[in-house]
Amino acid sequence: MKESLSERFARHLSDIRAYRKQTAPNQTKFWEMVGVTQSGGCRYEQTRSLPKPVAMLLALREMGLVSAAQLLEAKALVEEVEPHLNKAVALEETRTQRDRLKIQRALKELDGLVDVPGLDEIRNKLRDGLPT
């Protein structure tokens, strides 16, 4: 009986080192096409399970929907736009810093107030809301 695609892929994933040896000249070339370093790939081959996105890329290749060359092209494209992805992270960090400063200023203003009912509760809520 012929092995199904899912059975064959499960077999490959269960021994990712053997699969890699069948499909690529070396560790670096194999793992590079799915965006993993050689050392990271080595860890996956030894003990760690594959992250789902990596397994999905390998599945696309196994299904014949993308070639190794296309995966490398996609990797290059992502690396090219990566600075734009990092800008989004930087913007979020800036917002978090702004929020932290606003809360700290409000706490300083509250420190000047004395004998206001519920003030300690307000301070605690503000402190709890400080982003880390």
Side-chain angles (χ1 to χ4, degrees):
M1 188 165 118
K2 187 177 177 185
E3 187 178 42
S4 73
L5 176 63
S6 62
E7 290 169 333
R8 185 176 71 234
F9 190 56
R11 180 173 46 81
H12 291 320
L13 290 181
S14 69
D15 189 357
I16 195 69
R17 176 180 285 154
Y19 178 59
R20 187 251 313 153
K21 287 181 177 183
Q22 291 172 3
T23 59
N26 59 51
Q27 267 186 334
T28 302
K29 296 285 183 198
F30 179 81
W31 291 110
E32 179 183 42
M33 75 178 167
V34 289
V36 174
T37 64
Q38 180 274 329
S39 61
C42 183
R43 285 191 296 278
Y44 295 137
E45 291 180 12
Q46 291 175 357
T47 57
R48 293 176 56 194
S49 58
L50 281 177
K52 196 172 190 176
V54 172
M56 290 170 63
L57 291 171
L58 291 172
L60 289 170
R61 184 164 186 254
E62 182 72 18
M63 295 164 64
L65 297 175
V66 296
S67 67
Q70 289 170 317
L71 286 171
L72 287 171
E73 284 179 46
K75 178 182 175 266
L77 177 62
V78 169
E79 287 172 350
E80 186 178 318
V81 300
E82 195 169 21
H84 300 287
L85 298 173
N86 293 335
K87 284 180 185 174
V89 170
L91 283 174
E92 184 57 35
E93 288 173 356
T94 302
R95 283 189 203 108
T96 301
Q97 290 169 349
R98 259 195 320 254
D99 292 345
R100 183 182 299 119
L101 287 172
K102 285 178 185 176
I103 292 171
Q104 288 171 340
R105 281 189 207 116
L107 284 168
K108 281 182 183 177
E109 287 178 27
L110 289 175
D111 284 341
L113 300 176
V114 183
D115 296 330
V116 176
L119 185 59
D120 287 336
E121 185 180 335
I122 293 169
R123 281 188 185 119
N124 290 335
K125 284 183 180 179
L126 283 171
R127 283 189 183 99
D128 290 345
L130 271 174
T132 55

